[in-house]
């Protein structure tokens, strides 16, 4: 996904403030940074963590670079990010709208591909991740 986006993707656990606000996933881009961020709710399951990430990848694949959270709201959740530098932020707080359903379906497809390609990927073989794109 970093190759497709042309920048590094930093994955981090959601902050307590984000969790208090009810977020389980957040994709955010900040002007002037050469990376994008994905924050996810904490989980002890590696597969659940990956599914949070895959869901945000689904938004990226759909090219949903629109602001669903206001800059003011992101600044409350992530106060170290300058409000005027926030380019877009997509958060997952519910699963009922079409955009969330599409991102989740793509995330599920990525998970299936990763499961199928896992043994090959361990040996450096190019996997089918690009089939979703």
């Amino acid at each position: 996904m970093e190759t497709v986006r042309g920048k590094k993707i930093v994955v981090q656990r959601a902050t307590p403030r984000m969790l208090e606000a009810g977020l389980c996933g957040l994709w955010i881009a900040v002007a002037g940074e050469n990376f994008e961020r994905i924050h996810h709710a904490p989980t002890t399951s590696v597969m659940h963590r990956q599914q949070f990430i895959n869901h945000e990848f689904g938004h990226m694949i759909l090219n949903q670079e629109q602001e669903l959270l206001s800059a003011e709201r992101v600044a409350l959740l992530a106060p170290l990010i300058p409000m005027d530098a926030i380019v877009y932020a997509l958060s997952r707080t519910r699963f009922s709208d079409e955009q969330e359903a599409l991102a989740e379906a793509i995330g599920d497809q990525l998970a299936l591909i990763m499961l199928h390609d896992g043994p090959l990927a361990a040996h450096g073989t190019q996997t089918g991740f690009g089939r979703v794109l």
Side-chain angles (χ1 to χ4, degrees):
M1 186 55 73
E2 290 177 336
T3 301
V4 171
R5 302 289 303 163
K7 52 178 82 168
K8 184 165 179 53
I9 298 169
V10 176
V11 177
Q12 301 172 314
R13 287 178 53 158
T15 65
R17 187 176 281 182
M18 291 175 183
L19 296 172
E20 288 168 12
L23 294 176
C24 56
L26 173 67
W27 167 34
I28 187 169
V30 176
E33 291 183 342
N34 61 351
F35 65 95
E36 295 179 349
R37 301 167 188 182
I38 293 177
H39 294 274
H40 63 84
T43 178
T44 57
S45 166
V46 173
M47 289 179 60
H48 194 200
R49 177 185 180 275
Q50 188 61 53
Q51 195 58 20
F52 282 134
I53 296 165
N54 287 352
H55 176 91
E56 300 307 324
F57 284 172
H59 285 298
M60 292 176 182
I61 290 168
L62 291 168
N63 202 29
Q64 294 175 326
E65 295 178 6
Q66 56 189 334
E67 183 178 282
L68 291 186
L69 287 180
S70 69
E72 290 83 7
R73 178 115 166 102
V74 175
L76 287 173
L77 297 172
L80 298 179
I81 299 173
M83 193 165 59
D84 61 348
I86 296 166
V87 178
Y88 52 85
L90 288 144
S91 72
R92 177 163 87 163
T93 56
R94 63 191 185 291
F95 299 92
S96 59
D97 64 28
E98 183 178 354
Q99 177 174 291
E100 292 300 319
L102 283 170
E104 193 65 18
I106 291 171
D108 290 346
Q109 186 64 35
L110 289 172
L112 290 172
I113 289 169
M114 292 167 75
L115 182 64
H116 178 265
D117 292 343
L120 295 174
H123 296 97
T125 305
Q126 190 167 7
T127 69
F129 186 84
R131 290 193 304 259
V132 175
L133 304 174

